[in-house]
């Protein structure tokens, strides 16, 4: 085999070299993960690169963008970054056969990229980032060096390649001046380093103090609600599969750009009210909980929710009216925009008037009777009734800044989404589900409809091209929330199309025109097909 190689080529086979580089890159990632993990609960180099990617490319993904930042897609992004890193490492491994210095430079570049992303991450601590990047580069280079030295000095040699013809020639010294090593030593070293890569990565995730928030939540005693709009005591009908009026916290959708959920310590957290105000001030968690507060039931929706989608939910929110904090600061009458800023640097802005026009607008610290969970914004978030989350509902809130409408654009605005985001009137059919097979006879068609802050006045359902039929409505705490609806349908055998539409309290019926979520929320009537079979 060696005879088939042009003279002068390095003697470590290409696949082996690739494997070596890949393992070295894996060690680099693993070690970086461990050091970042030991350094607290900030980002790791990998997650910082992910955040950088999201911040940079969210605009070009537009329609996909907000949905992309659902939890599964973030996992896919991280997997992608790891795969690219290993691939890059493999290339460096091959380069390293002839140009070890170039490969070393590649690993430095790799570390520099991670550090660059890390330093741009609001949640990162510079010292931790530098240490993680240094450890990562050292781990990568060390592994590369060890493996290149240990690699069998025969063409194509490597654990995965075909049996190698070992010649009788004394092996020429390779670029690193390594001595011929046994294939066994190489495999052992490679395996040990691979295990180390995985081990450090797992350990790095384990040592993260993610229990900080859980402990703080357990210790928190929520104040009694000053004024409380409670959910209705009961609902008039119960249909299996119909969304419950209150969405439980674990079932509540979660959308944000955060790759690692910010874990904010309640004791060191501060909310700053600043900008165009007379008296800027900061307030801590205990102080916030000591202020007069309110509790209200509010439906929150993501702008990227498709017609019929489930990025919407209703919860009981407790917190301090935004107006209370603004009064204390004294808002400059020239201020036209309120911007919320989060610990991870995300921002959202809405017109100043929404804090004082009578709608529920809270700095919320509790959801469904418990302190906010980490994913829903612990220790505090904004919650403005009637606005999509992307323009209003800043989680992990650290700053409320008063500015002008023209002076600032929230996170999603330069990424192609509208500056204003009022929630559109919408209805959703929960049961029957699309494509289901039913038995002829009495069938309940049921779902939820919402039009915050006006509220829903009627919901109608149409079967095929028949008359629009008015539905029975459930109870709602206020116009801020969705309402359950139901229609009893005498289903006849065959294929049927079901459609639903809602009308708000102002008498406006949701439009039939279909629009995609971008730039300011999907429209159209939720429509589905069902098959009805003969009577049993
Ligand atoms: N810090 C921060 N807050 C955020 C976001 C975010 O990406 N970062 N996303 C917003 C969006 S788009 C929505 S729809 C709501 C979702 O809130 P939830 O995850 O509690 O349901 O949070 C908002 N608050
Ligand atoms: Mo959203």
């Amino acid at each position: 085999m060696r005879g088939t190689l042009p003279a002068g080529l390095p003697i470590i086979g290409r696949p082996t070299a690739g494997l070596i580089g890949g393992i070295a890159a894996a060690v680099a990632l693993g070690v970086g993960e461990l050091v970042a993990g030991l350094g607290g609960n900030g980002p790791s180099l990998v997650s910082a690169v992910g955040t950088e990617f999201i911040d940079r490319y969210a605009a070009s993904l537009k329609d996909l963008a907000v949905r992309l930042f659902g939890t599964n897609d973030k996992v896919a992004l991280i997997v992608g970054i790891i795969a690219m890193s290993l691939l890059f490492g493999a290339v460096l491994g091959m380069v390293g056969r002839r140009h070890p210095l170039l490969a070393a430079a590649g690993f430095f570049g790799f570390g520099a990229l991670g550090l660059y992303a890390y330093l741009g991450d609001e949640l990162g601590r510079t010292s931790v980032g530098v240490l993680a990047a240094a450890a990562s580069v050292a781990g990568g280079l060390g592994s590369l060096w060890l493996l290149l030295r240990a690699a069998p000095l025969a063409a194509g040699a490597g654990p995965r390649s075909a049996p190698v013809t070992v010649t009788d020639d004394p092996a020429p010294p390779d670029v690193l001046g390594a001595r011929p090593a046994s294939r066994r030593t190489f495999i052992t070293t490679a395996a040990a380093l691979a295990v180390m890569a995985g081990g450090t990565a797992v350990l790095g995730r384990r040592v993260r103090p993610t229990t900080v928030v859980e402990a703080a939540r357990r210790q928190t005693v929520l104040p009694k609600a000053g004024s409380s709009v409670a959910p209705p005591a009961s609902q008039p009908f119960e249909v299996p599969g119909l969304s419950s009026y209150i969405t439980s916290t674990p079932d509540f959708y979660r959308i944000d750009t955060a790759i690692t959920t910010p874990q904010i310590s309640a004791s060191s957290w501060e909310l700053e009210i600043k900008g165009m105000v007379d008296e800027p001030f900061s307030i801590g968690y205990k102080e916030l909980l000591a202020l007069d507060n309110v509790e209200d039931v509010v439906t929150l929706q993501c702008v990227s929710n498709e017609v019929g989608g489930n990025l919407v939910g209703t919860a009981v929110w407790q917190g301090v009216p935004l107006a209370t904090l603004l009064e204390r600061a004294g808002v400059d009458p020239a201020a036209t925009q309120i911007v919320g800023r989060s610990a991870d640097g995300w921002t959202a802005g809405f017109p100043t008037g929404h804090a004082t026009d009578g709608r529920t607008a809270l700095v919320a610290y509790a959801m469904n009777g418990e302190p906010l969970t980490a994913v829903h914004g612990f220790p505090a978030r904004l919650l403005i009734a009637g606005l999509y989350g992307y323009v209003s509902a800043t989680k992990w809130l650290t700053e409320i800044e008063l500015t002008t409408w023209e002076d600032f654009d929230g996170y999603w605005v330069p990424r192609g989404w509208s500056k204003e985001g009022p929630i559109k009137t919408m209805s959703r059919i929960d049961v029957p589900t699309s494509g289901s097979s039913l038995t002829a006879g009495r069938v309940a068609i049921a779902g939820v409809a919402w039009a915050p802050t006006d509220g829903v006045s009627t919901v109608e359902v149409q079967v095929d091209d028949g008359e629009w039929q008015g539905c029975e409505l459930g109870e709602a705490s206020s116009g801020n929330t969705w309402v359950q609806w139901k229609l009893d349908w005498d289903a006849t055998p065959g294929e049927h199309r079901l459609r639903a539409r809602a009308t708000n309290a102002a008498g406006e019926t949701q439009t039939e025109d279909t629009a995609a979520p971008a730039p300011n929320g999907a429209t159209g009537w939720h429509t589905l097909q069902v098959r009805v079979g003969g009577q049993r």
Side-chain angles (χ1 to χ4, degrees), residues 66-67 253-256 300-305 311 346 388-391 393 412 417:
V66 181
R67 234 174 328 139
Y253 81 94
R254 178 233 171 140
I255 287 285
D256 53 63
L300 178 65
Q301 190 205 316
C302 183
V303 67
S304 66
N305 193 40
L311 299 179
W346 190 87
Y388 289 125
Y390 84 106
V391 289
W412 284 110
W417 297 75

Side-chain angles (χ1 to χ4, degrees), residues 26 34 105 135 162 186 206 211 227 270 381 536:
L34 179 59
F186 173 70
R206 287 272 164 86
T211 51
S227 83
E270 284 212 331
R381 72 178 303 168
R536 261 188 294 222

Side-chain angles (χ1 to χ4, degrees), residues 203-228:
L203 201 62
R205 311 256 21 131
R206 287 272 164 86
V207 296
R208 290 178 166 268
T210 49
T211 51
V212 171
V213 169
E214 280 321 302
R217 290 181 71 231
R218 272 196 302 276
Q219 281 164 22
T220 300
V221 180
L222 290 175
K224 270 227 162 351
S227 83
S228 176

Side-chain angles (χ1 to χ4, degrees), residues 46-92:
V46 170
S47 72
V49 169
T51 301
E52 176 76 22
F53 183 91
I54 289 178
D55 290 351
R56 249 169 218 265
Y57 298 110
S60 43
L61 303 168
K62 248 194 173 167
D63 295 287
L64 279 175
V66 181
R67 234 174 328 139
L68 179 75
F69 307 133
T71 316
N72 293 338
D73 306 290
K74 278 185 230 166
V75 172
L77 176 60
I78 292 298
V79 169
I81 290 171
I82 294 171
M84 289 303 295
S85 304
L86 299 187
L87 208 69
F88 181 62
V91 171
L92 291 183

Side-chain angles (χ1 to χ4, degrees), residues 404-427:
T404 65
W405 190 251
E406 297 73 29
D407 264 358
F408 188 81
D409 288 332
Y411 185 91
W412 284 110
V413 177
R415 291 170 173 83
W417 297 75
S418 297
K419 183 132 178 179
E420 285 207 70
I423 295 180
K424 295 174 180 174
T425 302
M426 187 50 69
S427 50

